[in-house]
Amino acid sequence: MQTDLPKIFCAIDTPDLNRAKDLGKILKGHVDGLKLGLEFFSSVGFDGLNEMTEIGLPLFIDLKLHDIPNTVYHTVKALCRFNPHMLTIHTQGGPAMLNAANDASLEYSHEKGIQRPLLLGVTILTSLVDQDLKAVGVENSISDQVQKLGRLALNCGFDGLVCSPHEVKALRKNLSSMYLVVPGIRPEGSAVDDQKRVMTPKEAKDAGADTLVIGRPITGAQDPAAAAQAIAQSLAEH
Ligand code: C5P
């Protein structure tokens, strides 16, 4: 795969370990990695994660951690055992929690002599609108709050952010060093499902995304490998 193109991580959103493993094996060689989230982890836990590492694809463990610093510190250390490529932490947990996550990942990687996972901050979930922020006492607009939380993550040693495709341009401009991981991607003509504001893979690439997270357009296709390849192909076209 060409390195200047955004990577494609397939979101494996299933509680069924066998289905997850089958998809992982089918997609090996056709995507750059697999994203495993709360649905998967709550169903099959650490044993399930362990089995997924055996497929040999980079893993994005997307548990969106948000707790007191000590708990996040130990959870990040526990997750580092699976040598994930990327981990997510809620930036709203504040500087002490973000620093604890950063410390845990650095300590683990130094102890083991391995590269630390990319730490990705979750800013404002794309399911929220300005009204929701007001309801929890935040007067900033979503776009201002995303910038503010993104800068906080950067200052706490984070590598990147998970963001909506529509936030990529502004983040790229203001926080240019941040690695941007982008869900909400739909190839031309595919079902939008429950995503609200989508972009095609090519549009997200042109906006400046580093990694695209794509689930159902691949996992729900009759031939998931072919669907992933078609997406990769669309990225390579000028
Ligand atoms: O199937 P689909 O392509 O919509 O999957 C997108 C994945 O990205 C899901 O695992 C979803 O939880 C995740 N995600 C998202 N929007 C965010 C953060 C994560 O869709 N803002």
Side-chain angles (χ1 to χ4, degrees):
M1 279 177 199
Q2 281 177 253
T3 49
D4 56 334
L5 297 175
K7 290 188 187 336
I8 298 171
F9 270 61
C10 183
I12 307 286
D13 290 318
T14 172
D16 179 343
L17 181 56
N18 287 328
R19 162 100 176 126
K21 279 168 39 181
D22 286 347
L23 276 168
K25 286 176 199 158
I26 289 168
L27 291 172
K28 195 168 175 183
H30 304 290
V31 297
D32 300 283
L34 306 174
K35 181 180 92 77
L36 300 168
L38 278 169
E39 183 181 358
F40 176 85
F41 186 73
S42 306
S43 308
V44 299
F46 284 116
D47 290 342
L49 276 182
N50 208 22
E51 290 203 36
M52 293 302 285
T53 62
E54 286 162 20
I55 294 169
L57 272 171
L59 295 184
F60 171 11
I61 303 182
D62 180 26
L63 299 182
K64 300 185 175 70
L65 306 179
H66 188 172
D67 210 314
I68 60 170
N70 181 60
T71 301
V72 167
Y73 174 90
H74 289 289
T75 306
V76 167
K77 274 210 163 171
L79 292 174
C80 280
R81 286 190 286 127
F82 301 97
N83 199 12
H85 184 64
M86 305 190 278
L87 290 179
T88 43
I89 292 106
H90 265 290
T91 51
Q92 289 175 86
M97 192 200 78
L98 299 177
N99 283 324
N102 189 35
D103 289 348
S105 68
L106 288 174
E107 280 170 29
Y108 188 91
S109 61
H110 286 157
E111 276 163 28
K112 303 288 172 192
I114 56 173
Q115 217 176 345
R116 78 156 193 171
L118 294 182
L119 292 190
L120 305 175
V122 176
T123 57
I124 301 295
L125 292 171
T126 47
S127 51
L128 300 179
V129 294
D130 283 325
Q131 215 58 31
D132 295 313
L133 290 202
K134 287 215 164 54
V136 294
V138 177
E139 294 302 325
N140 276 345
S141 67
I142 286 189
S143 52
D144 286 350
Q145 194 65 3
V146 165
Q147 295 289 335
K148 187 173 180 161
L149 292 170
R151 182 154 302 281
L152 173 66
L154 177 65
N155 291 340
C156 293
F158 272 47
D159 304 281
L161 298 168
V162 180
C163 66
S164 133
H166 296 271
E167 290 161 353
V168 172
K169 261 208 172 119
L171 285 168
R172 187 53 72 230
K173 188 162 158 246
N174 298 324
L175 298 170
S176 59
S177 64
M178 288 300 249
Y179 191 89
L180 299 180
V181 174
V182 184
I185 303 295
R186 287 294 178 269
E188 204 92 53
S190 73
V192 171
D193 305 304
D194 54 353
Q195 294 286 4
K196 294 275 190 303
R197 296 181 305 136
V198 298
M199 276 192 188
T200 66
K202 180 81 165 53
E203 286 168 340
K205 171 199 151 195
D206 291 342
D210 293 303
T211 283
L212 307 180
V213 172
I214 308 175
R216 289 161 289 182
I218 296 175
T219 58
Q222 253 185 352
D223 183 344
Q229 283 216 303
I231 291 168
Q233 187 68 40
S234 75
L235 290 174
E237 283 160 10
H238 291 290

